[in-house]
Amino acid sequence: MTELLQEQQTSTSELIQKAQLAKQASAVLAKSTTKQKNNALRSISAQLLKEQAFILEENSKDIEVGRQNGMSESLLDRLKLDGDRLTEMADALIQLTKLADPVGEVLEKWERPNGLTMSKIRVPLGVVGMIYEARPNVTVDASSLCLKTGNAVVLRGSSTAIHSNKAIVAVIHRALENSELPIDSVQLMEDTSREAASHMFKLNKYLDVLIPRGGAKLIQTVVQNATVPVLETGAGNCHIYIDETATVQMAIDIALNAKIQRPSVCNACESILVHKDWADKHLPLLLSALLAQQVTIHGDESVQKRSPDVIPAKEEDWGTEYLGLEVAMKIVADVSEAIQHINTYGTKHSEAIISKNSENVDQFFMEIDASAVYHNASTRFTDGFEFGFGAEIGISTQKLHARGPMGLPALTSTKYIVRGNGQVK
Amino acid sequence: MTELLQEQQTSTSELIQKAQLAKQASAVLAKSTTKQKNNALRSISAQLLKEQAFILEENSKDIEVGRQNGMSESLLDRLKLDGDRLTEMADALIQLTKLADPVGEVLEKWERPNGLTMSKIRVPLGVVGMIYEARPNVTVDASSLCLKTGNAVVLRGSSTAIHSNKAIVAVIHRALENSELPIDSVQLMEDTSREAASHMFKLNKYLDVLIPRGGAKLIQTVVQNATVPVLETGAGNCHIYIDETATVQMAIDIALNAKIQRPSVCNACESILVHKDWADKHLPLLLSALLAQQVTIHGDESVQKRSPDVIPAKEEDWGTEYLGLEVAMKIVADVSEAIQHINTYGTKHSEAIISKNSENVDQFFMEIDASAVYHNASTRFTDGFEFGFGAEIGISTQKLHARGPMGLPALTSTKYIVRGNGQVK
């Protein structure tokens, strides 16, 4: 047998074995009470703090390997754990116990003329496959959200975080030992090869859903290759459209906030569209506000005319998610042109209009195809916590199942319960 | 250029051209009023009746080709249209106008402490790709359900129904000419090659969802190959479990109904599980009732002992969707063994328990992983019309988006509308 074949079989057998254990655990989890689940979350929270030294020690091994391999400072920062971050993770677990348990909720109930009574109730999805990058906090986050919603989880993190992830999952297992939930509810793939991930993409027999969390490349790899249904948390090419009647200071404040408050996230603004009449009067103010914050502006010809510091926008700029201090800017004739532009280049994430014209706002709300549309507010609010969900699985940019910020209910499915007294068709 | 390459490019260009037109139409459809949509449905209904002779003539061409190619009688029956079937289709369109329009429904509304007001509203999915077999009625059905929910549709039917489908879509287009909806809302792929279908599976740029309707093989082909999200309407290996306390006549009536009333459909029963004590007393009655209806029984050893007409069940019988007058039968020790068996071999479609023991019923409801679970009723009720939805897109056996019979809301997504007065983060 070749070495490659042997390796493939090893990864497959680890995956299948762990997915089977997760599947078995999911049957027990599905009937666990809210109290049992919350107790387990509290137990994990306590265990994380108790074994802080162990986790940080293992994490430092990943950091060391990362440094040796020339990992960038920003990636190292994502990878690094410390006492504060662990305390935050432990606190988040306690917060999660305070949220309502969606499982068992009766969504609808009705009776049919033939006497059948029907109800639609929320149930867990079953087994969630979580595929993510070098952020060990996702290991805790994904596990706890899944446990709260009665789902088992198979975790596949990055090889660069393997020591941290193994340590965290070992700690979770020790906490689950003292709980009424199955220890096998949380499974970590130790084989982080591409082959193992490829097998996971197609493991429809055991996995009910795949959730990729990370950059656009990771998500596209999963979407392009998975046969298991995917909850796609996609890229955000978000726009701010400043309409003719926009209040000057409000428009500048919102554009600036959406661009610079945290440029690396998916709900940050990547393009600003400005109504020509507003631009005639106020564009220089907006440009200087952005330039003062070191934002590089890729403008169309009309924008370039207003300032020598604006660089020419190329066609690809309209579709670029900069994730940094850069923005594309275009002057438009009216709200219809803005909508047309956004629906052409946007990623259906979050789009905002700043305006005093309610007709234009209504048109924007109706015609823009996106998960969240804003009037006179920053796109940065597209977030499960800002929406008041108390938790967030991610922000869905697909149209099936869940769209926009996903709270706990996004990790559930439904089941119809039908009661009769002998009805036949 | 090789002939194959030329063919591939032709199919791709037809697909992309039609998908683009559908996408453009979907933007107009999304803002169409309920009245405009219902008027269009009425117009299609009238046009189908008016052009009945044309449709039947074109349909007869498909029938003739089918006969020449040795198509089976049951397939020819599915393919065949006549005056009655067209009248049924026209009536169904009128019924559809009477159903509530899900689009625009406000599902949730709330305010955040920072003053942002949020609402979650139903919106169309956008463009639906419908892939189906030789049933021309699906052409009308899928188009009308999509129009009612504000979606454009790209239809890809079977080559064996191409004359019928082209005729029906031409009639729909003539009806749409007299309506306020875009004619391009309904697109038919005339190229029914596999290559064209393969392109359609991966057309994420234009298609928001794929819905395969047909046999298990078609559905699996789509699930295995699509990168566009799929609404999976899967196979049904449905079970009737007869518990120890089941009323004898009720159990027999339900088992018989679920098996023989229409054996070719996905909610028909394929396996009967019987509690050992009930079997000791009443199995011969159940067996003779089934045998009297020419049902072939594949039984485990205990069942075989009761009648020489029972043939031995093999392992694969437990997982077989016979779709005919055959059933697998097994004696089980208790409800837990029944649940274990169903969760191992079932397809998560519809499962029933016949029992007077409410504890066992609750356990069955809680532990069975299926879209619909029944107490003292036939699995044959898993159907959008029987559930009272007034329409049915199909029966989902996946856990994301929609599970079980799908009514009009399954063809919608949601959008968050956020109103502020200058909020920044």
Side-chain angles (χ1 to χ4, degrees), chain A residues 31 110 112 125 257 365 367-368 371 373 375-376 386 399 401 403 413-416 418 420 422 425, chain B residues 31 112 125 257 365 367-368 371 373 375-376 386-387 399 401 403 413-416 418 420 422 425:
Chain A
K31 35 181 191 168
W110 71 103
R112 295 291 300 151
L125 286 169
N257 175 263
F365 279 177
E367 297 184 9
I368 288 287
S371 81
V373 282
H375 173 220
N376 290 353
E386 292 294 342
K399 292 188 182 175
H401 190 65
R403 199 176 189 202
S413 183
T414 58
K415 181 197 264 184
Y416 287 108
V418 185
K425 198 169 160 182
Chain B
K31 33 179 192 169
R112 295 292 300 151
L125 286 169
N257 176 263
F365 279 175
E367 297 184 10
I368 288 287
S371 81
V373 281
H375 173 220
N376 290 353
E386 292 294 342
F387 270 52
K399 292 187 181 175
H401 191 65
R403 198 176 190 203
S413 182
T414 57
K415 181 197 264 184
Y416 288 107
V418 185
K425 199 170 158 180

Side-chain angles (χ1 to χ4, degrees), chain B residues 155-409:
Chain B
L155 301 161
R156 197 278 191 186
S158 161
S159 58
T160 57
I162 190 68
H163 293 95
S164 314
N165 288 340
K166 278 167 78 170
I168 290 170
V169 170
V171 169
I172 291 174
H173 283 170
R174 285 193 279 273
L176 289 178
E177 269 174 36
N178 299 317
S179 83
E180 293 175 83
L181 303 190
I183 297 174
D184 289 330
S185 306
V186 177
Q187 297 291 333
L188 175 73
M189 283 295 295
E190 299 191 7
D191 177 350
T192 55
S193 67
R194 284 189 184 199
E195 286 71 29
S198 301
H199 289 305
M200 195 168 163
F201 295 165
K202 297 181 193 294
L203 206 61
N204 298 55
K205 190 173 172 190
Y206 299 111
L207 303 181
D208 294 289
V209 57
L210 287 178
I211 308 181
R213 276 176 70 168
K217 208 176 145 192
L218 170 77
I219 292 164
Q220 278 316 301
T221 302
V222 177
V223 169
Q224 294 297 319
N225 294 291
T227 54
V228 177
V230 177
L231 271 187
E232 185 177 352
T233 55
N237 180 18
C238 305
H239 299 71
I240 303 284
Y241 166 57
I242 300 176
D243 200 17
E244 183 182 4
T245 56
T247 307
V248 180
Q249 199 54 46
M250 187 194 284
I252 293 173
D253 289 349
I254 290 177
L256 218 58
N257 176 263
K259 182 64 258 178
I260 70 165
Q261 195 252 346
R262 202 173 163 201
S264 64
V265 292
C266 62
N267 58 19
C269 164
E270 306 293 0
S271 282
I272 301 173
L273 306 176
V274 187
H275 188 284
K276 61 180 174 17
D277 297 341
W278 195 94
D280 281 342
K281 293 179 218 149
H282 315 294
L283 196 63
L285 273 173
L286 175 65
L287 294 177
S288 17
L290 288 162
L291 292 167
Q293 298 288 338
Q294 276 75 52
V295 177
T296 303
I297 302 167
H298 304 260
D300 70 358
E301 279 188 21
S302 309
V303 179
Q304 289 166 49
K305 278 184 205 150
R306 317 285 172 139
S307 162
D309 297 322
V310 170
I311 63 173
K314 294 177 201 145
E315 171 65 19
E316 62 256 38
D317 281 298
W318 309 127
T320 299
E321 196 187 7
Y322 299 111
L323 297 172
L325 289 177
E326 289 185 77
V327 74
M329 194 181 289
K330 186 182 169 75
I331 309 295
V332 295
D334 54 19
V335 65
S336 297
E337 192 188 341
I339 291 168
Q340 178 68 34
H341 180 95
I342 293 171
N343 282 343
T344 305
Y345 297 101
T347 54
K348 303 179 183 172
H349 194 294
S350 302
E351 308 294 351
I353 178 173
I354 320 301
S355 177
K356 280 195 283 221
N357 181 326
S358 65
E359 226 170 275
N360 288 359
V361 174
D362 286 347
Q363 190 187 343
F364 192 88
F365 279 175
M366 178 65 102
E367 297 184 10
I368 288 287
D369 185 13
S371 81
V373 281
Y374 290 85
H375 173 220
N376 290 353
S378 170
T379 52
R380 290 279 293 108
F381 289 106
T382 300
D383 172 294
F385 296 93
E386 292 294 342
F387 270 52
F389 298 162
E392 187 191 274
I393 323 301
I395 297 165
S396 161
T397 49
Q398 70 182 30
K399 292 187 181 175
L400 290 190
H401 191 65
R403 198 176 190 203
M406 296 186 284
L408 295 178

Side-chain angles (χ1 to χ4, degrees), chain A residues 217-233:
Chain A
K217 208 176 144 192
L218 170 77
I219 292 164
Q220 278 315 302
T221 302
V222 177
V223 168
Q224 295 296 322
N225 294 290
T227 55
V228 176
V230 177
L231 271 187
E232 185 176 352
T233 55

Side-chain angles (χ1 to χ4, degrees), chain B residues 124-174:
Chain B
L125 286 169
V127 183
V128 175
M130 188 73 65
I131 297 172
Y132 53 105
E133 291 172 342
R135 304 183 83 132
N137 62 312
V138 175
T139 308
V140 176
D141 198 35
S143 304
S144 58
L145 293 169
C146 286
L147 290 177
K148 175 79 188 193
T149 46
N151 292 294
V153 64
V154 178
L155 301 161
R156 197 278 191 186
S158 161
S159 58
T160 57
I162 190 68
H163 293 95
S164 314
N165 288 340
K166 278 167 78 170
I168 290 170
V169 170
V171 169
I172 291 174
H173 283 170
R174 285 193 279 273

Side-chain angles (χ1 to χ4, degrees), chain A residues 1 8 18 54 60-61 107 116 181 191 194 229 238-239 252 258 264 285 291 298 330 339 347 363 371-372 383 402 411:
Chain A
M1 200 188 294
Q8 281 181 350
K18 291 190 169 173
F54 166 60
S60 69
K61 294 180 186 166
L107 297 172
L116 288 179
L181 304 190
D191 177 350
R194 284 187 184 202
C238 305
H239 298 72
I252 293 173
S264 64
L285 273 175
L291 292 167
H298 304 260
K330 186 183 170 73
I339 291 168
T347 54
Q363 189 187 343
S371 81
D383 172 293
L411 284 178

